[in-house]
Amino acid sequence: MTDRRILVVGAGPAGVRAAITLAQAGDHPVLVDHAPGIGGAVYATLRRSAHGNVAHAKEALRLKADFDRLRPQIDLRCSTSFTGLDPQGTALLTGKAGLIFKPRAVILATGARERVRPRPGWTLSGVSTAGALQIALKTAGNLPPNRVIIAGSGALLYAIGAQLTRAGRPPVAILETGRPFHNAFQARTLPRVVLIEAAGYMARLIAAGVPILTGTDLTRISREGDHLLAQTSRTGRWATIRADHIALHDGLASNDYGLTPPPPGLPVVRAGDCAQVLGRHAAEDSGRLAAQQVLAALHDSHTTSTLSPQYAQAQISLARLFQRAPQLPETTGLRDLPDDTVMCRCENRTLGDLRHAVLHACEHGPATGRSLRLGERVGMGPCQGRQCLDWVAELSPHTANFADLRGARWPLKPVRIRDILAATDEAAN
């Protein structure tokens, strides 16, 4: 028997706004998130006891106020993971508030995942993603060690740099592969709110004297005693910068790993960055529209509401603004990396392992996504390929494309049998 409730996966701005919209329409949605509270990555400060003087505080607090008003109508299940839908439309939630039930519709607001390009030394202790550093700062106020380098590309580098500066730990350098200041005319089409936010970040960084090295690639990380050494390439020149912590960020992609086609008759709608990476300014609107689409599908009605095209245009402008500097190689240079470069962190598989597997497979038949997954374990670890498969696909032959490597699976992630047994089973009620 199908439950009357609607499942919303992800309690970031898109998912929370979707749940609010459903509750306003008289529904009682189930809102699930693996984090211990609402907010997602962008509004992670809502999970701190003190969050008054932080970036995005007004937007975050407004969203929380709207949520709190309708909280009695929303079944919030935190520290709980969505493990997927089976072919019959049964949803499995595991963790603190595990549940097995058949929702009448699903909204997927699982956000974005961070891309980090492999390079020698990127798995060393003291190296993290920029997003992980930001979450630790937002949720617990944890500051990294003294000398911090933020490297990669995109607006997130400057946001995190400014947040660290505000917390009293300005980065020793920001290394940007693009040349945004040379492409500043691309910013003319960005929404005013984005420009104001960016100006605030830049003002804080400049006032603190943080070096911003554009057209600069971080090519190798090594360790010397208690310190990390970042080898950089800039306009054909090499330099080494000493650091205690290095945060990497090479863009975002939708966090839609392993999602299978929905069973017939079950409305499933994606919202926020899970649908298209458009950033936090689009997230709430996207969540609201997703809820309206689900309600229209359930009531055999029609909605003409669409997301404003300005969000997509803003992302196009940002991509052009931060495009890789002409003097740097156009490709990621993965094929030129040494064999001992780790590609899969979960299984500790190297570039040399992958090269050998592809060569061996080609001698005995075409390399496929299945053969590489089973033979080399890429995409089979705890992260299920979220960190490695973008790059493995780039290095794989045309017979093993990204979709084949990633696959669509049930469950979405490794799950313990005891978590399934502990989940409240309402599917048969």
Side-chain angles (χ1 to χ4, degrees), residues 84-365:
L85 294 166
D86 75 1
Q88 287 72 47
T90 302
L92 172 60
L93 312 180
T94 59
K96 184 177 181 180
L99 178 67
I100 302 173
F101 80 118
K102 288 188 174 182
R104 60 174 178 150
V106 179
I107 295 175
L108 297 170
T110 49
R113 58 184 176 86
E114 192 170 19
R115 287 161 50 94
V116 175
R117 176 169 57 85
R119 64 265 278 171
W122 73 300
T123 59
L124 288 172
S125 174
V127 181
S128 72
T129 67
L133 185 153
Q134 187 184 47
I135 290 294
L137 178 63
K138 286 183 175 181
T139 58
N142 290 342
L143 290 172
N146 294 325
R147 294 175 61 85
V148 183
I149 292 175
I150 306 174
S153 184
L156 184 64
L157 305 186
Y158 307 90
I160 296 176
Q163 290 159 10
L164 285 173
T165 300
R166 184 171 189 168
R169 188 63 50 80
V172 66
I174 294 177
L175 311 181
E176 165 68 63
T177 60
R179 303 185 72 184
F181 307 125
H182 289 74
N183 301 327
F185 67 93
Q186 296 290 348
R188 68 190 187 282
T189 59
L190 292 175
R192 183 171 177 268
V193 63
V194 174
L195 292 173
I196 293 173
E197 183 178 330
Y201 291 148
M202 290 306 303
R204 189 173 297 277
L205 292 170
I206 292 171
V210 175
I212 300 174
L213 307 180
T214 62
T216 304
D217 203 1
L218 174 56
T219 59
R220 176 184 290 272
I221 304 168
S222 58
R223 181 169 288 282
E224 184 181 81
D226 295 332
H227 302 286
L228 295 169
L229 298 180
Q231 185 174 342
T232 68
S233 172
R234 187 185 193 201
T235 323
R237 294 175 296 177
W238 295 88
T240 300
I241 305 174
R242 187 184 299 271
D244 299 309
H245 188 96
I246 297 176
L248 304 173
H249 174 82
D250 294 297
L252 298 170
S254 292
N255 184 25
D256 58 356
Y257 259 60
L259 296 178
T260 57
L266 178 66
V268 176
V269 178
R270 300 186 187 189
D273 286 345
C274 178
Q276 185 179 2
V277 180
L278 297 177
R280 72 176 182 87
H281 296 289
E284 288 193 50
D285 282 350
S286 180
R288 183 184 298 106
L289 290 173
Q292 292 171 355
Q293 291 173 22
V294 162
L295 292 171
L298 292 174
H299 296 97
D300 293 324
S301 58
H302 180 67
T303 178
T304 58
S305 299
T306 58
L307 203 60
S308 170
Q310 72 169 339
Y311 298 124
Q313 182 56 52
Q315 293 303 308
I316 293 172
S317 297
L318 286 172
R320 292 172 177 168
L321 186 67
F322 292 102
Q323 62 185 338
R324 195 173 180 84
Q327 68 268 25
L328 297 177
E330 286 298 325
T331 66
T332 58
L334 291 177
R335 297 185 187 278
D336 299 324
L337 294 175
D339 277 351
D340 61 356
T341 304
V342 174
M343 296 296 293
C344 173
R345 301 183 63 143
C346 298
E347 300 289 338
N348 199 35
R349 307 305 289 173
T350 66
L351 181 56
D353 295 329
L354 181 62
R355 284 171 173 154
H356 175 76
V358 171
L359 178 62
H360 180 75
C362 290
E363 292 174 351
H364 298 82

